[in-house]
Amino acid sequence: MRWHGVIHRYRDYLPVTEKTPVITLQEGNTPLIRADRLGEALDSRVELFLKFEGANPTGSFKDRGMTVAISKAVEEKMTAVVCASTGNTSASASAYAARAGCRAYVVVPKGNVAMGKLSQALMHGARLIQLQGNFDEAFEIVKSVAEKFPIALVNSINPFRIEGQKTAAFEVCEQLERSPDRVFIPVGNAGNISAYWKGFREYREAGRIQNLPRMIGWQAEGAAPLVRGEVVKHPETVASAIRIGNPANWSMARAAIEESHGEIGLVSDAEILDAYRQVAQLEGVFCEPASAAAVAGLVKQCREGKIPRGAQVVCILTGHGLKDSEVALTLAPPLQPVEANIEAVVEAMGLN
Ligand SMILES: *Cc1c(COP(=O)(O)O)cnc(C)c1O
């Protein structure tokens, strides 16, 4: 059966009507990949799955929320959208705005944004503004801009974003044919963990699942305001998509964690990069560093013996590794060209 995107598939659960124009790139329906080799490496009897959100049209889960946010903006006769972004929101907003024939304004922190994401915004014709400041400053500014001008704000404080993103929880339940026991997820602005929790709750209310998972969120050590319980003025981490010091959805995320009897923890950049490499080398899945924070969190909890035997665990791999290939390349030794003959190549292969 052809897939027509998350609004078409989950219309009954979304704030859309017959009158809502559907702006879609056929996002969603992403793979839930069983990860036995990684599970075994964790030396813990977990039944591990990776929800690969990098398989969305612009390469991150942001597309699920953006299809709803942009469709509603068009329904409300808006002709322009604005967002602050660590990269993926701008890539997604730019693509969906292009499709809708809207103008997109995206404000990104100077430096610190992956090249893949910047190139997407530029190719889709967004007006890209590089700010001499961090994400949190960019976010405060775009909020004020959206109040002063007839421009729709498409950051995750836009409730339509959360509505669209909750469809990932629906898919996980359908793919597993039950609800997982635990969901490991990276946390930046904290919209996604809130969206998943909303999705699981709604599916239980609808009688589609019996139980609810624990939501286990992960932040980077240098950008962990939710773990520390206070705003981080100068967030720092290699995982640029979660380099956020003052999350917009702070209280919603806290509620998701408390209501689900979950947790929020932190992992170091070194742990993130180890997990990043492990997922790629053991499972053939290339995610971005921010996504690997969830896997690093699982590694940590397995080591601490916190995961019961046989638990069904889903790690949310929020974005595609090709977005931020600079990070991958810095991990590898520099390439040394070899002479164009078989002896040199065989030697380089380490076969003699
Ligand atoms: C946006 C993003 C996150 C963080 O999601 P929040 O909803 O801001 O918590 C994590 N990983 C990637 C790849 C992202 O693009």
Side-chain angles (χ1 to χ4, degrees):
M1 220 170 51
R2 223 179 124 204
W3 180 263
H4 297 282
V6 299
I7 294 180
H8 181 263
R9 174 69 183 80
Y10 297 110
R11 175 171 283 277
D12 294 348
Y13 295 87
L14 294 171
V16 293
T17 67
E18 294 299 297
K19 290 199 198 77
T20 313
V22 177
I23 312 298
T24 179
L25 287 162
Q26 297 175 24
E27 60 294 315
N29 197 22
T30 56
L32 184 74
I33 303 166
R34 213 182 142 114
D36 288 343
R37 274 162 54 77
L38 182 58
E40 272 164 41
L42 297 177
D43 196 31
S44 168
R45 295 273 177 88
V46 294
E47 206 180 305
L48 179 58
F49 295 85
L50 308 173
K51 180 68 171 160
F52 189 39
E53 289 288 279
N56 275 299
T58 79
S60 83
F61 73 83
K62 301 296 199 296
D63 295 346
R64 293 180 185 275
M66 211 51 79
T67 183
V68 182
I70 302 278
S71 296
K72 293 302 283 187
V74 173
E75 181 179 359
E76 288 154 17
K77 307 279 184 263
M78 297 292 226
T79 57
V81 302
V82 65
C83 65
S85 177
T86 60
N88 281 331
T89 299
S90 67
S92 187
S94 307
Y96 283 80
R99 210 166 158 71
C102 288
R103 176 166 274 291
Y105 298 94
V106 306
V107 184
V108 300
K110 184 168 170 284
N112 296 342
V113 176
M115 286 302 165
K117 303 175 188 180
L118 276 186
S119 62
Q120 286 177 290
L122 291 170
M123 278 305 287
H124 294 305
R127 180 75 58 89
L128 182 69
I129 296 124
Q130 262 199 342
L131 193 75
Q132 289 175 328
N134 62 27
F135 171 84
D136 302 293
E137 292 167 297
F139 184 50
E140 287 308 314
I141 292 168
V142 297
K143 273 195 287 188
S144 308
V145 169
E147 276 165 22
K148 290 202 176 73
F149 298 88
I151 303 179
L153 180 64
V154 295
N155 279 102
S156 60
I157 54 164
N158 178 327
F160 300 128
R161 284 272 312 276
I162 304 295
E163 291 298 315
Q165 283 170 213
K166 77 187 178 191
T167 61
F170 299 164
E171 285 179 20
V172 167
C173 296
E174 279 154 27
Q175 289 167 316
L176 282 180
E177 298 181 322
R178 54 164 283 188
S179 104
D181 298 315
R182 279 155 213 247
V183 173
F184 281 67
I185 183 168
V187 174
N189 222 11
N192 212 27
I193 190 172
S194 313
Y196 269 83
W197 181 238
K198 188 167 198 287
F200 287 120
R201 273 187 359 239
E202 288 184 11
Y203 246 30
R204 194 176 67 165
E205 275 155 34
R208 304 289 304 260
I209 50 173
Q210 308 304 313
N211 303 305
L212 291 169
R214 289 177 198 255
M215 301 301 304
I216 324 275
W218 294 93
Q219 300 203 290
E221 194 171 27
L226 278 160
V227 181
R228 302 190 191 283
E230 61 184 24
V231 170
V232 174
K233 272 256 164 64
H234 302 289
E236 264 315 323
T237 168
V238 67
S240 58
I242 53 171
R243 190 187 280 134
I244 292 175
N246 188 12
N249 302 290
W250 191 303
S251 54
M252 249 202 303
R254 282 249 66 105
I257 292 157
E258 273 157 36
E259 288 167 25
S260 74
H261 307 288
E263 280 175 68
I264 180 111
L266 58 79
V267 281
S268 69
D269 278 6
E271 288 171 313
I272 289 173
L273 293 175
D274 270 348
Y276 175 60
R277 206 190 276 112
Q278 271 200 313
V279 180
Q281 298 191 355
L282 293 176
E283 298 296 348
V285 178
F286 190 18
C287 66
E288 57 175 287
S291 312
V295 179
L298 179 62
V299 170
K300 192 170 181 174
Q301 290 214 331
C302 284
R303 201 181 295 133
E304 291 167 355
K306 280 192 167 176
I307 311 287
R309 266 169 151 249
Q312 261 188 343
V313 173
V314 176
C315 283
I316 312 301
L317 300 186
T318 45
H320 203 294
L322 288 173
K323 295 250 188 188
D324 208 348
S325 46
E326 304 98 295
V327 174
L329 293 172
T330 59
L331 297 182
L335 288 172
Q336 290 294 343
V338 301
E339 276 177 51
N341 60 61
I342 185 168
E343 292 79 11
V345 172
V346 166
E347 194 187 324
M349 290 167 80
L351 293 179
N352 55 357

